[in-house]
């Protein structure tokens, strides 16, 4: 029923400029009109409002999930503990060890659940828009990751972090002419850029494909006539299948972003630094 409602919500009149005429989705999908404070620095559209609402929902869920911890956990506490332990054990402690893992656990946990929650809104009926499909949120998350691993490296070895990052040991000195620019590019430029683009593009493309599949279904079944309703059945089935795939993408992108951040922190804490 949720998948069916999702299809109905995605097929909206704005995709059909005139009855019987098919119009594919465009980038305008990601720039809805302002809802509040139009023309001010605090202007909010549908996607920005969604980010605020999802952040509040996350805070409420974790507040009630951890408010009264018991030795014999309730069902809600068990679910909350399983979710938190997934990040703590499989990402933080697995890559950083217990000591450093505990230090950076709050930021990694926040990052994982924030990204997952912002991603999953893309398949929720009535919302149908991932909050990470605009560059703002992925860019801020990448900046947080960037600052965190640089802070970790400087905190670990204030004098040698940048030196060892840019001039790796064991490389003959003449080769630093080639190696150092590559290290600058890969470590201090490409890391935040790839984090941003990976998260942004996966969710943006996923949304466009879903809208395309369900709007094509609407056109084939209701307007095209002839044998085209048969194609509509195919696009509808594809849309449902891709909706399930988007759930996997929502989880996977949260996991990949968080684990890459942990890897960058691990590299910054390496002994050679």
């Amino acid at each position: 029923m949720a998948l069916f409602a999702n299809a109905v919500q995605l097929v909206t009149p704005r995709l059909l400029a005139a009855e019987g005429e098919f119009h594919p989705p465009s980038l305008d999908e990601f720039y809805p009109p302002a809802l509040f404070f139009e023309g001010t620095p605090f202007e909010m559209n549908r996607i920005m409002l969604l980010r605020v609402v999802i952040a509040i929902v996350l805070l409420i869920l974790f507040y009630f999930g951890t408010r009264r911890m018991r030795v014999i956990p309730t069902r809600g506490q068990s679910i909350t503990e399983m979710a938190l332990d997934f990040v703590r054990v499989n990402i933080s402690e697995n890559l950083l060890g217990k000591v450093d893992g505990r230090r950076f656990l709050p930021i990694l946990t926040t990052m994982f659940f924030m990204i997952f929650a912002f991603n999953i809104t893309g398949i929720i009926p009535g919302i149908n828009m991932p909050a990470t499909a605009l560059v703002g949120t992925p860019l801020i998350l990448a900046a947080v990751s960037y600052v965190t691993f640089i802070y970790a490296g400087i905190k670990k070895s204030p004098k040698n972090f940048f030196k060892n990052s840019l001039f790796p040991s064991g490389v003959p000195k003449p080769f630093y002419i080639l190696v150092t620019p590559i290290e600058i590019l890969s470590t201090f430029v490409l890391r935040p850029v790839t984090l941003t683009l990976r998260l942004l593009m996966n969710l943006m493309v996923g949304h466009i494909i879903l809208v395309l599949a369900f709007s094509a279904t609407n056109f084939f079944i209701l307007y095209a006539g002839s044998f085209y309703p048969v194609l509509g059945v195919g696009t509808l089935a594809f849309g449902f299948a891709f909706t399930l795939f988007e759930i996997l993408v929502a989880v996977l992108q949260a996991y990949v972003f968080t684990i890459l951040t942990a890897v960058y922190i691990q590299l910054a804490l390496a002994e050679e630094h």
Side-chain angles (χ1 to χ4, degrees), residues 10-273:
L10 279 167
V11 182
T12 56
R14 58 194 168 83
L15 295 175
L16 298 171
E19 185 173 306
E21 183 179 354
F22 174 72
H23 287 268
S26 69
L27 292 180
D28 292 339
E29 295 278 318
F30 304 98
Y31 300 96
L35 297 176
F36 308 106
F37 313 118
E38 185 175 1
T40 71
F42 306 101
E43 180 176 308
M44 294 188 70
N45 58 29
R46 173 172 168 255
I47 299 176
M48 295 176 68
L49 180 62
L50 174 62
R51 292 167 177 165
V52 174
V53 171
I54 293 299
I56 293 173
V57 169
L58 276 176
L59 290 173
I60 292 173
L61 287 176
F62 280 106
Y63 171 75
F64 284 104
T66 59
R67 184 177 57 167
R68 296 177 180 174
M69 305 295 283
R70 302 177 182 177
V71 177
I72 301 176
T74 61
R75 183 178 301 177
Q77 181 182 330
S78 296
I79 294 173
T80 304
E81 288 179 351
M82 287 176 59
L84 293 173
D85 282 346
F86 174 78
V87 180
R88 180 178 64 83
V89 176
N90 293 285
I91 298 178
S92 189
E93 292 183 359
N94 189 36
L95 287 169
L96 302 175
K98 289 189 177 293
V99 177
D100 288 323
R102 192 178 297 113
R103 287 175 57 205
F104 295 99
L105 180 59
I107 196 166
L108 294 174
T109 301
T110 302
M111 192 172 286
F112 177 86
F113 289 105
M114 177 182 173
I115 295 172
F116 170 72
F118 280 21
N119 290 351
I120 204 67
T121 56
I123 56 96
I124 296 178
I127 300 178
N128 307 114
M129 174 60 72
T132 44
L134 283 178
V135 72
T137 297
L139 187 60
I140 290 174
L141 288 167
V144 170
S145 174
Y146 184 77
V147 170
T148 301
F149 85 77
I150 291 179
Y151 162 80
I154 294 175
K155 185 76 173 178
K156 177 75 174 182
S157 181
K159 295 181 179 179
N160 297 323
F161 172 66
F162 288 105
K163 175 186 174 184
N164 291 330
S165 294
L166 301 179
F167 303 95
S169 60
V171 177
K173 290 185 179 181
F175 286 96
Y176 283 136
I177 297 175
L178 296 175
V179 172
T180 299
I182 293 174
E183 290 296 326
I184 292 173
L185 184 64
S186 63
T187 303
F188 299 102
V189 178
L190 290 183
R191 283 183 183 179
V193 170
T194 54
L195 283 174
T196 302
L197 293 181
R198 182 185 294 107
L199 181 59
L200 169 68
M201 297 309 297
N202 273 281
L203 276 298
M204 176 185 287
V205 171
H207 175 76
I208 290 177
I209 291 175
L210 281 176
V211 174
L212 181 61
F214 289 126
S215 60
T217 300
N218 182 79
F219 173 73
F220 286 144
I221 293 178
L222 298 181
Y223 301 109
S226 185
F227 66 89
Y228 286 103
V230 177
L231 296 179
V233 174
T235 55
L236 181 63
F238 174 81
F240 285 163
F242 200 82
T243 298
L244 297 176
F245 178 72
E246 280 297 284
I247 298 175
L248 174 63
V249 170
V251 178
L252 188 61
Q253 287 303 310
Y255 178 75
V256 168
F257 196 104
T258 308
I259 204 167
L260 283 176
T261 299
V263 168
Y264 296 155
I265 295 171
Q266 180 194 46
L267 293 173
L269 295 173
E271 288 300 323
E272 57 266 25
H273 289 150

